[in-house]
Amino acid sequence: MRDSLHRSRAALLAALLLVAACRPQPAAAPSPVGVPSAIVEPRDATRVAQAAADAAFPSGWRFPVGVKATESEHAMVVSNSHFASEAGVEILKAGGNAIDAAVATGFALAVTYPNAGNIGGGGFMNIRMADGRAMTLDYREMAPAASSRDMYVDANGKLTDKSTFGYLASGVPGSVAGMSEALKKYGSMTLAQVMAPAIRLAEQGFMVDSQFSRSIASGRHDITPFEGKAVFFPGGEAVKSGTRLVQPDLARTLKLIAENGPKAFYEGPIADSLVAEEKRGGGIITKEDLRHYKPEWRTPIRSTYRGYTLLAMPPSSSGGITMTETMNILENFAPLPPAGSVKYAHLLAESFRRAFMDRNSKLGDPAFVKVPLDRLTSKSYAKTLAAQIDLNHASKSPAFDTKAERTQTTHYSVVDAMGNAVATTTTLNGSFGSGVWVRGGGFFMNNEMDDFAAQPGTPNMYGLVQGEQNAIKPGKRMLSAMDPTIVLDPQGKLLMVAGAAGGPTIITATMEVILNVIEHHMTLADAMRAPRLHHQSLPDTLRYEANGLSAATLDSLRAMGHAVAPNRGGLANVNSILRVPGGWHGVNEPRSAGGAVGY
Ligand code: DON
């Protein structure tokens, strides 16, 4: 797809001159950009020196370069909650492996990060064992049996907000089944052992900090119409910083799961509470739906980028295919222009645009639609797409209005002392999901139904326009963008574990952090702090973080035909780990709450 607009030669010349002139500005303070020697190959020595110089952030950018990562010798857990990362490390120190620790972290997040951590949602886990075995677990929610294609469209053909808010917005939750299944297959401990920290955090409480309090306050609109109000808004106010938050209902629920396994959730007393709550509010999830829920083991998408191997999430997530397709396109232009340059931004935008066009139209739950996985992830297809990119002009996609975003997901990365690795992303979709809080159960329900194309061709809450492949059908999994990823170095050794929250920006941000390390030779701390860009084909806008691109760079991109717009707030929420010669670097998202804990 090419831009059909005619441009004057003068505008083109100006753009080209700016392309050359608009390299990232060095930060005012001395800013040595470290080179992670674990990944430096001898053939790259000259480029490494160049990349280190080029990777300085633009002046005015919110983060400095050269900040230290959390360092550890043996193992690392990085998540959006310090308490949850500590829970994972507690299990590792007690002799657990990365899978034990990941499950401990996941359950702890349901307690200490309730806007996204969950037992009422779903997710994806990407596992690589130290012996080289690699597998992924899909525990995405499923559409209830009573769902239907047009259930969110009113009599006038207008899309309602019922896919995002309230009782009808939830898919059948997969988290408890998924985490239990992963533990059973690849863990070494019992549910009771790995859930002990989460139960303790729910039963004895944890100290609320200002970030937690603010995030609860921002959820007032969604939480207070339902029963979670009493827990999170005692006396009408959001739980205050410095107070202890105890969640007795959730503690009881977690204990039931720890003692009786996932059956307690899908068939036992928790299922009873969940279905009773649904009935009270006009929801459609039944005990049958819960009983039929099953997580699916799937083969990871394995791709290469300049000798590195990426293990990523296959459908029902679009994460792996979209990232692979983009990386394959970019490989045709490698070595890539410096991070922060106009050329780099243009190439990223054009590659993302093409991969997202395929994502939005061709992907869906593989149990229901035929996904052209081999073609979309092939090098030859990427070569065709790369050949369509005009290095001087932006392509065009039709425009439309997007809806406001108000979202939360959470990603956590784990490595253990044996070299096993787990990347997990889990979500309720929106912050606090549908808002519905299961009475007696003590947890929020997801609003994942909005990830379906509730009305094919109409944008969802992320502005994603998707097609029939992702239309609602009973028992179908809604297409996700979650992208928990594991990267191996050219020798096949574990190098990185990464993933993100942020709807479609999950894919672009995860990939940009990986590229910052393997292509731009940044330290992990700098790779995480570097400004991010996002393009998802529709809306046809290159989004950037405020002050992440210089005014001159933005002018150049506009001259090339890109619509550019600052993102409201940061782009995505990444939690990642990198192997370094002395052990591990862990970095939780500097744009958000979290903790990297190792030993
Ligand atoms: O599965 C998906 O793609 C979305 N439900 C993810 C939502 C998300 O990342 C919101 N985050 N901040």
Side-chain angles (χ1 to χ4, degrees):
M1 189 172 68
R2 284 180 183 257
D3 183 4
S4 58
L5 291 177
H6 294 292
R7 303 191 174 280
S8 73
R9 289 173 69 90
L12 175 59
L13 186 63
L16 290 175
L17 286 173
L18 280 166
V19 167
C22 295
R23 309 276 294 227
Q25 302 300 305
S31 53
V33 176
V35 176
S37 51
I39 61 158
V40 173
E41 303 146 65
R43 69 175 169 79
D44 271 338
T46 327
R47 280 204 62 240
V48 167
Q50 183 59 41
D54 286 336
F57 300 156
S59 63
W61 175 236
R62 59 194 286 200
F63 300 117
V65 288
V67 173
K68 262 164 74 85
T70 299
E71 298 162 345
S72 74
E73 197 182 333
H74 303 290
M76 180 75 76
V77 181
V78 187
S79 80
N80 283 121
S81 156
H82 210 274
F83 296 114
S85 298
E86 278 173 349
V89 169
E90 178 183 326
I91 292 300
L92 289 172
K93 285 186 172 164
N97 67 14
I99 293 83
D100 298 317
V103 175
T105 305
F107 278 112
L109 282 165
V111 182
T112 62
Y113 196 65
N115 36 345
N118 66 81
I119 55 174
F124 297 94
M125 192 177 283
N126 188 347
I127 300 175
R128 183 179 184 267
M129 304 302 283
D131 62 11
R133 282 174 297 159
M135 64 295 291
T136 69
L137 185 62
D138 174 336
Y139 50 97
R140 182 69 158 166
E141 299 91 328
M142 279 166 56
S147 63
S148 57
R149 187 183 183 284
D150 296 324
M151 62 188 279
Y152 302 117
V153 180
D154 70 16
N156 302 317
K158 277 197 72 152
L159 201 52
T160 65
D161 70 354
K162 290 193 168 57
S163 66
T164 60
F165 182 68
Y167 288 87
L168 278 180
S170 304
V172 183
S175 290
V176 173
M179 289 193 283
S180 308
E181 171 69 14
L183 188 76
K184 192 171 83 190
K185 264 261 167 61
Y186 295 102
S188 67
M189 290 180 159
T190 62
L191 262 180
Q193 283 172 304
V194 301
M195 290 181 71
I199 293 169
R200 197 174 62 230
L201 286 161
E203 203 163 44
Q204 297 172 16
F206 61 92
M207 188 75 85
V208 168
D209 63 15
S210 57
Q211 227 158 355
F212 186 95
S213 173
R214 269 200 307 276
S215 88
I216 297 293
S218 73
R220 174 181 287 276
H221 169 82
D222 303 294
I223 298 172
T224 52
F226 306 102
E227 297 299 311
K229 181 178 169 186
V231 176
F232 296 104
F233 288 84
E237 292 299 318
V239 282
K240 287 199 172 54
S241 171
T243 60
R244 184 163 278 273
L245 177 63
V246 179
Q247 300 175 72
D249 286 349
L250 182 56
R252 199 169 44 249
T253 291
L254 293 174
K255 273 192 201 159
L256 282 168
I257 298 169
E259 283 158 18
N260 306 302
K263 266 197 163 186
F265 188 92
Y266 291 94
E267 297 181 36
I270 309 165
D272 293 338
S273 306
L274 197 161
V275 170
E277 186 65 44
E278 289 281 307
K279 281 204 175 122
R280 265 194 294 266
I284 55 174
I285 295 178
T286 62
K287 285 204 75 172
E288 279 287 279
D289 286 322
L290 289 168
R291 204 151 44 79
H292 284 137
Y293 184 85
K294 278 206 172 44
E296 297 282 348
W297 288 103
R298 304 189 194 275
T299 309
I301 293 181
R302 185 180 281 265
S303 64
T304 57
Y305 179 83
R306 305 190 76 204
Y308 295 90
T309 298
L310 281 88
L311 301 168
M313 206 63 220
S316 60
S317 180
S318 64
I321 289 183
T322 314
M323 183 173 70
T324 300
E325 191 174 329
T326 314
M327 293 286 263
N328 283 345
I329 297 172
L330 285 173
E331 202 178 34
N332 289 279
F333 301 96
L336 297 179
S341 65
V342 176
K343 281 183 177 174
Y344 186 58
H346 176 65
L347 278 179
L348 278 189
E350 292 303 305
S351 305
F352 281 138
R353 178 201 304 283
R354 284 162 176 78
F356 270 90
M357 272 161 51
D358 283 334
R359 179 221 182 264
N360 298 343
S361 59
K362 300 190 172 78
L363 305 188
D365 181 347
F368 286 76
V369 297
K370 194 158 166 37
V371 174
L373 190 148
D374 290 344
R375 174 155 185 272
L376 296 181
T377 56
S378 76
K379 298 278 185 196
S380 57
Y381 177 60
K383 203 168 180 170
T384 321
L385 295 179
Q388 295 169 2
I389 294 178
D390 180 335
L391 290 177
N392 302 312
H393 294 121
S395 308
K396 283 275 173 276
S397 317
F400 61 83
D401 290 330
T402 61
K403 292 187 197 171
E405 283 183 28
R406 188 194 36 75
T407 60
Q408 260 318 326
T409 293
T410 189
H411 172 85
Y412 50 102
S413 296
V414 181
V415 294
D416 67 20
M418 281 85 75
N420 302 306
V422 179
T424 303
T425 316
T426 181
T427 191
L428 290 166
N429 194 24
S431 222
F432 309 103
S434 62
V436 173
W437 191 84
V438 176
R439 265 166 267 197
F443 58 94
F444 289 107
M445 289 295 287
N446 67 83
N447 60 346
E448 219 73 60
M449 290 298 282
D450 190 63
D451 274 350
F452 278 118
Q455 191 175 43
T458 304
N460 73 354
M461 67 195 272
Y462 306 105
L464 282 170
V465 178
Q466 308 173 96
E468 286 296 337
Q469 298 280 83
N470 191 29
I472 302 171
K473 279 211 177 114
K476 191 175 175 184
R477 287 159 144 89
M478 53 298 279
L479 186 64
S480 172
M482 291 191 269
D483 197 15
T485 303
I486 293 174
V487 184
L488 312 180
D489 72 10
Q491 287 70 47
K493 211 169 152 196
L494 176 65
L495 179 70
M496 272 184 93
V497 184
T505 69
I506 287 173
I507 301 169
T508 50
T510 302
M511 209 192 88
E512 286 170 70
V513 170
I514 293 170
L515 278 177
N516 285 345
V517 171
I518 68 176
E519 177 80 30
H520 301 300
H521 299 283
M522 294 184 201
T523 62
L524 187 63
D526 288 344
M528 291 281 290
R529 284 177 175 76
R532 295 175 189 157
L533 300 172
H534 177 72
H535 203 300
Q536 61 185 45
S537 173
L538 292 172
D540 189 353
T541 303
L542 176 59
R543 274 152 66 189
Y544 63 94
E545 296 179 293
N547 298 324
L549 291 176
S550 68
T553 304
L554 290 169
D555 283 346
S556 295
L557 288 166
R558 282 189 202 101
M560 295 167 90
H562 286 284
V564 288
N567 199 56
R568 246 184 315 130
L571 277 167
N573 185 330
V574 184
N575 287 312
S576 59
I577 299 175
L578 175 71
R579 178 170 57 78
V580 291
W584 305 100
H585 277 180
V587 181
N588 59 286
E589 177 56 64
R591 294 156 181 80
S592 175
V597 182
Y599 75 96

